[in-house]
Amino acid sequence: MNLQQPFPALVVRSAGDSAAASVENLTLADLPPGEVVIEVEYSSLNYKDALASQGHPGVVRQLPHVPGIDCAGRVVDSTSDDYQPGDAVLVTGYELGSPGWGGYSQYVRVPAEWVVAMPAGLTPRQAMIYGTAGFTAAQCVAALIHHGVEPSSGPVVVSGATGGVGTLSVAILAKLGYEVTAVSGKADRHDALRELGAAEVAGRELLSADADRPLLKSRWAGVVDTVGGVPLATLIRSTTHRGCVAACGLTAGEQLPLTVHPFILRGVNLAGIDSAKCPRGPRMEMWRHLSGDWQVDLPDQFICEVTLDQLPQQIESMLASKHFGRTLVVPKIG
C-alpha cells in the first residue's frame, strides 16, 4: 500500500486552553500500529465521540486525536490469517476512538483482535445504524432477559429514548413483545417513538419523583436507563420485585442519590453495561442477535447521514441535547 497517499480524517488538536476538530489529510504512516487496515465506509456519532471532539480528558489520552468509537468497511491490508483483503468487517469499542485513534477517517489500522467479521445479512451501513449504540442496546435487552424480565412480567421503560441507545432499545424491546414506555424531553418526537413501537410516551417529569422517599410505587419490570443521575435513582426506586435495571449512561450526572432499600427489600437487580471492554464471546452473541432475531429497521426519520465536514454541526447538536436517533458518518468530504 502507498503509505503517503493522503485521505481525510477529523482531527482534534489543541487550541489554546481548549481543543478544536477539523478535517485534515492524513496518510497511512500517521495511523497507529495494528495488523488490519480497514477502508471505512461508515462510522456513527455517539456521545463519547462528541466528548472526544472537545478533547475531553476522560475520553482522549493525548492530542492530536481522531474520534469515532466504531466503524465498518472492508479490509485492504492484513498481516493476520483471520482477515483477508476484501473482507467486510466492523469494529466497536476496545480503544477505537477512546483513547486510541478512531473511525472518523477513511482508513483505520487496528489490532486483529478488535475486528468482527460482518454478520451475515448486514451491510456496513446497517451495521453502523446499530454501531456502538445498538451494541449497547442489545446488551441492555440481554441483561433484562438474563434476570428473568419477560414480556409477561409487566411494562418496561427506556429513558433518553430519542438518543441512539434509547431509540434502538425501544425498537428491539417492542419487536420482542414488551410493553414499552419511552421517556423523552423532546415533545416533538413523541409520535415518532410511538411509530417505533412504544406503547406509551412520557416526558422527563416521570423521572423526577420525590428524592427523599427510599421507595416509590412499583411500576417497571425492566428499565433501560441511558442518562444516570436522579432519573436512574427514580427508576430504580420504581422497579418491581426482582426487576432489572440496565444502566449505561451518565448525561444526567454521575452521582446516584439512593438508599439500599430497592435492592434489599425488592431484590432489584442493577446491571451495569460496559460496551468497550465486552469480552469476545458475549460480543459475538450480541451481533448474532442484532443480525438475526433482534434485527430492526429504523424509520428514515431516525437516521441522518453526514460527511466529515458536516459532522461538527451534528456534534454541537448532540452536546446541546438536541440530537435525535442515529447519525451515520461517511468518511469523505461533502
Side-chain angles (χ1 to χ4, degrees), residues 285-299:
E285 181 182 0
M286 293 305 100
W287 283 109
R288 284 193 292 270
H289 280 306
L290 289 170
S291 61
D293 54 337
W294 296 358
Q295 187 168 2
V296 294
D297 293 320
L298 292 184

Side-chain angles (χ1 to χ4, degrees), residues 128-149:
M128 286 299 100
I129 290 175
Y130 291 132
T132 296
F135 180 71
T136 302
Q139 289 192 89
C140 290
V141 173
L144 300 191
I145 293 173
H146 174 75
H147 287 285
V149 179

Side-chain angles (χ1 to χ4, degrees), residues 137 141 156-183 192-201 224 296 298 302:
V141 173
V156 299
V157 61
V158 178
S159 66
T162 52
V165 178
T167 292
L168 287 157
S169 295
V170 170
I172 294 169
L173 288 165
K175 177 175 182 174
L176 295 179
Y178 290 86
E179 179 188 340
V180 183
T181 293
V183 180
L193 289 168
R194 293 186 182 92
E195 180 184 346
L196 203 60
E200 182 182 352
V201 183
V224 174
V296 294
L298 292 184
F302 283 88

Side-chain angles (χ1 to χ4, degrees), residues 67-81:
I69 62 173
D70 51 31
C71 68
R74 294 191 179 276
V75 174
V76 293
D77 189 49
S78 174
T79 59
S80 167
D81 292 337

Side-chain angles (χ1 to χ4, degrees), residues 275-286:
S275 292
K277 296 182 180 180
C278 178
R280 186 77 176 184
R283 183 179 295 271
M284 300 305 294
E285 181 182 0
M286 293 305 100

Side-chain angles (χ1 to χ4, degrees), residues 114-333:
W114 296 6
V115 181
V116 172
M118 188 66 62
L122 289 185
T123 65
R125 186 178 189 275
Q126 290 170 321
M128 286 299 100
I129 290 175
Y130 291 132
T132 296
F135 180 71
T136 302
Q139 289 192 89
C140 290
V141 173
L144 300 191
I145 293 173
H146 174 75
H147 287 285
V149 179
E150 301 176 351
S152 61
S153 301
V156 299
V157 61
V158 178
S159 66
T162 52
V165 178
T167 292
L168 287 157
S169 295
V170 170
I172 294 169
L173 288 165
K175 177 175 182 174
L176 295 179
Y178 290 86
E179 179 188 340
V180 183
T181 293
V183 180
S184 172
K186 299 180 176 68
D188 60 331
R189 302 296 188 177
H190 285 192
D191 286 344
L193 289 168
R194 293 186 182 92
E195 180 184 346
L196 203 60
E200 182 182 352
V201 183
R204 291 175 183 154
E205 62 275 4
L206 184 71
L207 308 181
S208 58
D210 184 0
D212 293 331
R213 296 177 58 188
L215 290 172
L216 299 172
K217 180 180 178 181
S218 293
R219 183 168 184 180
W220 313 114
V223 175
V224 174
D225 177 71
T226 72
V227 298
V230 171
L232 173 57
T234 301
L235 292 169
I236 291 172
R237 291 182 293 135
S238 305
T239 301
T240 61
H241 184 253
R242 296 285 173 139
C244 178
V245 178
C248 64
L250 48 69
T251 57
E254 300 176 356
Q255 301 301 315
L256 192 59
L258 194 64
T259 70
V260 298
H261 287 84
F263 308 111
I264 64 174
L265 297 181
R266 290 184 180 164
V268 171
N269 297 284
L270 178 58
I273 306 301
D274 165 34
S275 292
K277 296 182 180 180
C278 178
R280 186 77 176 184
R283 183 179 295 271
M284 300 305 294
E285 181 182 0
M286 293 305 100
W287 283 109
R288 284 193 292 270
H289 280 306
L290 289 170
S291 61
D293 54 337
W294 296 358
Q295 187 168 2
V296 294
D297 293 320
L298 292 184
D300 289 343
Q301 64 177 306
F302 283 88
I303 302 170
C304 172
E305 191 169 309
V306 300
T307 53
L308 289 176
D309 51 319
Q310 298 166 334
L311 182 55
Q313 183 177 354
Q314 295 295 319
I315 290 171
E316 290 180 10
S317 176
M318 177 170 279
L319 292 173
S321 299
K322 298 178 180 179
H323 190 257
F324 173 68
R326 295 291 289 142
T327 294
L328 297 181
V329 181
V330 182
K332 64 181 183 181
I333 307 300

